[in-house]
């Protein structure tokens, strides 16, 4: 591009600046020049990358700088136009900027001289201020407690919605009024003196410090309130804040509680007498229960002894049943091994053993079924003398019927042959 001014002027005007500077050809609808600050701002290494990275426009809304052609009409466009717009970089980062577009001609050709100043920090600051104002609005105006701010002379500077409601005023109606308008008439004079002392030596006071305070509504009615106080200074000017809670329902609850306490006291006195009477009756009942307990313990002891006796008897009977049943089973099995007439003597021997065992079972069963004798304690153990060697021989004989191949029963006996058991 041919320029009418020298390179030094070009560098001074376009390069030595902290903002985006560019030249746009209206006829060709393309940028002819972008300074280094501008390339860096939109993350370009060279103007040759422009058509690839930004095929349309820098602006986020998509409008092309060529849209300003219509502004070349002298009745609309007076050489320079300034507006604020939102731009986007190659990486997608958003930048707020003030764009200044100036129209100029060189050799009968029209160009735009474009200057973009980054205003993102200012926008962020403005947004922070707006956010702070919104938070203040939410905290102060929408708080569920009355808040009133006054100056040192006691003039109301601010009052939130809750304060307006509990005192019966419209929004803004309290602003500029003296604080005494909310104080009962009979204490206004003393309140002025108290307020002066507080403003001279301000200190924070928590809610509910045992003070019986009342507020005055617009219609003149009084109602109980709880008030906490705070203060701050803006520069040299002090301000004082009252946090006010309508204590009507709380006071009603306290009065009701006092009445309930009186009723409870009477009930307690009546209850104490009833407790004494019931205690005496309980003592008599405990004596009766103690006697019943002793009788029950005696009965349980007897029942326990009887149970143990039954258990021992059942265990004994079970053992005694098993012995003759084993003899019967083994003798019956051995009878099958003596089928010939020459072995009749052996068969008779086992038949005799079976009959003897059946007799034993009958005797044991009769004693076992004598529950009456058991409960009366008439069942007594009886010792008898028997031949131990003979008993062992008979037992071995019974076991031989179930001996497996390879098993051998060995018998050794020392000591007396006859024992008592």
């Amino acid at each position: 591009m041919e320029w009418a001014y020298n390179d030094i002027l070009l560098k001074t005007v376009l390069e030595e600046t902290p903002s985006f500077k560019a030249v746009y050809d209206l006829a060709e609808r393309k940028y002819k020049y972008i300074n280094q600050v501008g390339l860096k701002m939109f993350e370009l290494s060279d103007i040759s990358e422009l058509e690839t990275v930004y095929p349309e426009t820098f602006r986020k809304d998509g409008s092309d700088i060529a849209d300003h052609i219509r502004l070349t009409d002298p009745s609309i466009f007076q050489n320079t136009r300034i507006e604020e717009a939102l731009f986007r970089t190659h990486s997608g980062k958003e930048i707020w900027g003030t764009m200044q577009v100036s129209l100029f001609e060189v050799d009968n050709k029209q160009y735009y001289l474009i200057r973009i100043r980054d205003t993102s920090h200012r926008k962020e600051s403005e947004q922070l201020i707006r956010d702070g104002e919104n938070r203040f609005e939410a905290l102060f105006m929408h708080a569920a407690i009355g808040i009133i701010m006054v100056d040192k002379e006691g003039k109301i500077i601010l009052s939130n919605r809750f304060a307006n409601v509990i005192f019966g005023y419209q929004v803004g109606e309290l602003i500029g009024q003296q604080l005494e308008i909310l104080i009962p008439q009979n204490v206004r004079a003393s309140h002025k003196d108290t307020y002066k002392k507080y403003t001279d030596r301000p200190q924070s006071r928590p809610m509910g410090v045992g003070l019986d305070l009342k507020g005055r509504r617009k219609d003149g009615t009084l109602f109980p309130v709880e008030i906490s106080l705070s203060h701050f200074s803006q520069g040299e000017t002090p301000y004082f804040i009252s946090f006010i809670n309508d204590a009507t329902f709380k006071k009603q609850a306290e009065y009701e509680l006092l009445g309930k306490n009186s009723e409870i006291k009477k009930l307690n006195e009546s209850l104490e007498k009833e407790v004494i009477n019931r205690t005496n009756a309980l003592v008599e009942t405990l004596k009766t229960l103690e006697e019943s307990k002793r009788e029950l313990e005696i009965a349980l002891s007897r029942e326990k002894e009887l149970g143990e006796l039954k258990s021992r008897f059942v265990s004994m009977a079970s053992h005694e049943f098993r012995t003759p049943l084993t003899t019967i089973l083994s003798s019956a099995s051995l009878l099958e091994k003596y089928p010939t007439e020459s072995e009749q003597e052996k068969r008779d021997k086992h038949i005799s053993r079976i009959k003897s065992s059946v007799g034993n079972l009958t005797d044991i069963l009769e004693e076992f079924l004598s529950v009456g004798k058991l409960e009366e304690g008439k069942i007594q153990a009886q010792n008898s003398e028997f031949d131990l060697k003979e008993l062992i021989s008979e037992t071995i004989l019974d076991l031989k019927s179930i001996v497996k191949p390879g098993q051998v029963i060995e018998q050794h006996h020392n000591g007396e042959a006859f024992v008592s058991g």
Side-chain angles (χ1 to χ4, degrees):
M1 174 180 178
E2 297 293 335
W3 295 98
Y5 36 83
N6 59 36
D7 292 341
I8 296 177
L9 180 61
L10 173 65
K11 182 176 181 180
T12 302
V13 174
L14 300 181
E15 290 295 339
E16 298 297 328
T17 176
S19 59
F20 175 101
K21 285 289 183 69
V23 176
Y24 185 84
D25 190 326
L26 284 176
E28 297 182 16
R29 298 176 70 92
K30 63 185 298 185
Y31 286 91
K32 289 294 187 178
Y33 170 82
I34 298 177
N35 68 352
Q36 290 299 315
V37 174
L39 293 172
K40 184 178 179 180
M41 179 184 293
F42 290 99
E43 301 172 355
L44 298 171
S45 59
D46 189 82
I47 193 172
S48 61
E49 293 183 350
L50 184 63
E51 294 183 0
T52 302
V53 177
Y54 294 97
E56 296 179 356
T57 176
F58 295 127
R59 295 171 61 127
K60 187 178 180 181
D61 61 9
S63 61
D64 194 336
I65 193 65
D67 294 338
H68 292 281
I69 293 176
R70 63 182 182 81
L71 301 177
T72 58
D73 185 344
S75 63
I76 301 176
F77 188 77
Q78 298 298 329
N79 291 331
T80 300
R81 175 183 173 86
I82 298 176
E83 65 175 312
E84 192 167 46
L86 183 61
F87 301 91
R88 60 178 176 81
T89 67
H90 178 34
S91 64
K93 178 184 176 182
E94 295 182 356
I95 300 175
W96 279 99
T98 301
M99 184 174 68
Q100 178 179 320
V101 182
S102 301
L103 180 66
F104 69 94
E105 291 187 2
V106 176
D107 298 331
N108 296 321
K109 293 185 65 176
Q110 290 184 321
Y111 299 92
Y112 279 147
L113 177 61
I114 302 170
R115 176 177 179 271
I116 300 176
R117 184 167 58 89
D118 189 346
T119 60
S120 297
H121 293 297
R122 178 174 61 81
K123 279 287 184 180
E124 291 175 359
S125 299
E126 291 174 353
Q127 185 62 44
L128 289 174
I129 292 173
R130 284 194 295 270
D131 291 343
E133 291 174 347
N134 292 335
R135 285 193 290 269
F136 174 78
E137 174 76 12
L139 177 64
F140 183 82
M141 298 305 296
H142 299 284
I145 190 172
I147 305 176
I148 292 178
M149 186 170 72
V150 298
D151 60 14
K152 189 171 184 178
E153 286 70 36
K155 186 172 67 174
I156 298 175
I157 306 300
L158 286 174
S159 66
N160 72 343
R161 295 176 184 177
F162 200 87
N164 295 331
V165 170
I166 62 177
F167 284 101
Y169 287 88
Q170 298 296 321
V171 176
E173 195 173 357
L174 284 172
I175 306 302
Q177 299 284 350
Q178 287 299 122
L179 183 61
E180 280 72 21
I181 195 175
L182 306 177
I183 307 298
Q185 291 183 349
N186 62 327
V187 296
R188 286 183 181 179
S190 61
H191 178 267
K192 286 183 179 180
D193 183 57
T194 303
Y195 182 75
K196 185 177 184 309
K197 291 180 180 178
Y198 178 79
T199 56
D200 290 340
R201 298 184 64 183
Q203 56 184 349
S204 297
R205 188 182 75 186
M207 185 80 71
V209 289
L211 300 177
D212 188 13
L213 304 176
K214 284 184 170 51
R216 184 177 185 274
R217 296 190 181 94
K218 183 179 180 180
D219 60 7
T221 58
L222 304 181
F223 65 103
V225 294
E226 290 181 332
I227 300 176
S228 64
L229 301 176
S230 186
H231 62 93
F232 72 98
S233 296
Q234 189 172 10
E236 298 296 326
T237 306
Y239 294 96
F240 308 93
I241 302 176
S242 298
F243 300 91
I244 306 163
N245 185 42
D246 185 348
T248 301
F249 295 108
K250 180 179 179 181
K251 289 295 183 182
Q252 289 177 353
E254 289 176 355
Y255 294 145
E256 292 176 359
L257 183 59
L258 289 174
K260 294 292 184 185
N261 286 340
S262 178
E263 293 179 5
I264 291 173
K265 185 177 180 181
K266 293 179 181 179
L267 288 173
N268 284 339
E269 292 175 354
S270 175
L271 183 60
E272 286 176 0
K273 295 179 181 178
E274 184 66 22
V275 168
I276 293 173
N277 295 333
R278 294 293 178 90
T279 301
N280 293 333
L282 183 59
V283 170
E284 295 298 324
T285 303
L286 288 175
K287 290 180 180 178
T288 304
L289 288 175
E290 189 66 28
E291 294 176 359
S292 299
K293 178 184 176 183
R294 286 194 293 269
E295 294 175 358
L296 183 59
E297 287 176 348
I298 294 172
L300 287 174
S301 178
R302 291 176 179 174
E303 184 67 23
K304 183 178 180 181
E305 291 176 359
L306 182 60
E308 291 175 353
L309 180 60
K310 289 181 178 180
S311 297
R312 289 197 300 270
F313 179 76
V314 170
S315 176
M316 179 192 70
S318 174
H319 175 73
E320 294 300 325
F321 279 151
R322 188 177 294 111
T323 301
L325 285 174
T326 302
T327 302
I328 292 170
L329 179 61
S330 62
S331 294
S333 300
L334 291 172
L335 283 174
E336 296 177 350
K337 297 182 179 181
Y338 307 118
T340 63
E341 291 182 2
S342 61
E343 296 173 319
Q344 182 61 38
E345 183 180 350
K346 294 180 180 180
R347 286 197 297 271
D348 290 342
K349 180 181 178 182
H350 287 292
I351 291 172
S352 176
R353 291 184 66 198
I354 290 173
K355 289 179 179 180
S356 176
S357 297
V358 171
N360 290 338
L361 281 174
T362 302
D363 294 339
I364 295 170
L365 185 59
E366 285 180 356
E367 289 188 356
F368 180 71
L369 295 177
S370 299
V371 179
K373 293 181 180 180
L374 180 65
E375 293 179 347
E376 294 171 3
K378 295 180 178 180
I379 302 299
Q380 299 293 333
Q382 295 181 0
N383 292 333
S384 61
E385 192 177 74
F386 59 94
D387 188 341
L388 184 59
K389 290 182 64 177
E390 183 180 352
L391 176 62
I392 294 173
S393 299
E394 291 177 356
T395 302
I396 292 174
L397 185 62
D398 294 337
L399 292 175
K400 285 184 178 179
S401 62
I402 57 173
V403 169
K404 296 179 180 180
Q407 293 181 334
V408 177
I409 299 175
E410 294 183 0
Q411 175 190 1
H412 301 282
H413 177 262
N414 293 315
E416 297 294 333
F418 287 89
V419 296
S420 176

